[in-house]
Amino acid sequence: MSWFYHVSQGSNEQQPQLSDTYSPPGLLTLPSPPQCSAPPTLESLSCASHNAVPGGGSLPVSYVTLQEYRCVMSWFLGWTSPQRERFLQDLLGKAVPGKVCTLLDSLNTLQVRDRPPNIFECQLRLWTQWFESWSEEERNHFLLVLEEHDPAFVARFYQSVAGTAGRE
């Protein structure tokens, strides 16, 4: 199963919705620190209970991953239209790796420079490091978070993924 399961399930099927117990007002709601004398365990810092989905399951998003989501969303909301387009191409390359059409698009963005990278390029590098460390469920959850903030962007992403079908 691919990490962008919405496309692979077809556009007519309903997307999973977060339960009524999880409705973030801002970028994402963080859990309160535990009120106990012993230091918290990593499991108790997990945000999985805040990410419950219908049917009793949960989206296992760690506290660290949640912070990474928040950073990427903060950057995304400040990016210009060309930067968002570049991010879309990067996301597409991660969704359908090995497709010639995405490889060619990626080659067009490579440049040899004698100057240090700009802030946007550093953000994309950090995004890539984080994304590679996320599980499939965390990647899918990131798309849900991104869709909350920019449904048109995510719709374009899904259209782009669908457009690579049958192309090598």
Side-chain angles (χ1 to χ4, degrees):
M1 180 168 154
S2 61
W3 64 265
F4 54 96
Y5 60 94
H6 298 292
V7 174
S8 61
Q9 290 179 349
S11 59
N12 294 335
E13 292 187 27
Q14 191 166 5
Q15 299 175 0
Q17 298 295 317
L18 298 176
S19 74
D20 294 335
T21 61
Y22 178 73
S23 56
L27 285 177
L28 292 173
T29 304
L30 298 177
S32 300
Q35 301 297 322
C36 58
S37 58
T41 64
L42 286 177
E43 289 177 11
S44 68
L45 290 175
S46 171
C47 297
S49 63
H50 294 277
N51 299 318
V53 293
S58 67
L59 297 171
V61 179
S62 72
Y63 181 81
V64 171
T65 302
L66 193 59
Q67 295 305 315
E68 292 167 352
Y69 288 1
R70 293 180 82 185
C71 283
V72 175
M73 288 310 307
S74 172
W75 299 337
F76 178 83
L77 295 173
W79 286 339
T80 63
S81 183
Q83 289 171 326
R84 285 185 180 197
E85 185 61 34
R86 172 67 181 94
F87 180 68
L88 176 68
Q89 294 307 314
D90 188 71
L91 190 60
L92 182 61
K94 289 171 174 44
V96 285
K99 291 281 188 170
V100 172
C101 56
T102 60
L103 290 175
L104 293 175
D105 289 336
S106 295
L107 286 175
N108 289 333
T109 63
L110 292 178
Q111 299 174 3
V112 177
R113 300 179 191 165
D114 290 335
R115 63 173 183 77
N118 63 33
I119 291 175
F120 174 71
E121 292 164 345
C122 291
Q123 290 171 339
L124 283 184
R125 287 180 187 173
L126 194 52
W127 142 254
T128 295
Q129 290 175 4
W130 289 340
F131 182 87
E132 289 172 355
S133 72
W134 294 344
S135 68
E136 184 175 317
E137 291 81 15
E138 290 169 329
R139 292 173 181 181
N140 287 326
H141 187 252
F142 175 76
L143 281 178
L144 291 174
V145 171
L146 187 58
E147 189 171 31
E148 279 182 11
H149 294 284
D150 195 341
F153 179 86
V154 175
R156 283 187 48 229
F157 165 72
Y158 289 138
Q159 289 171 346
S160 298
V161 169
T164 66
R167 292 167 62 182
E168 298 199 24

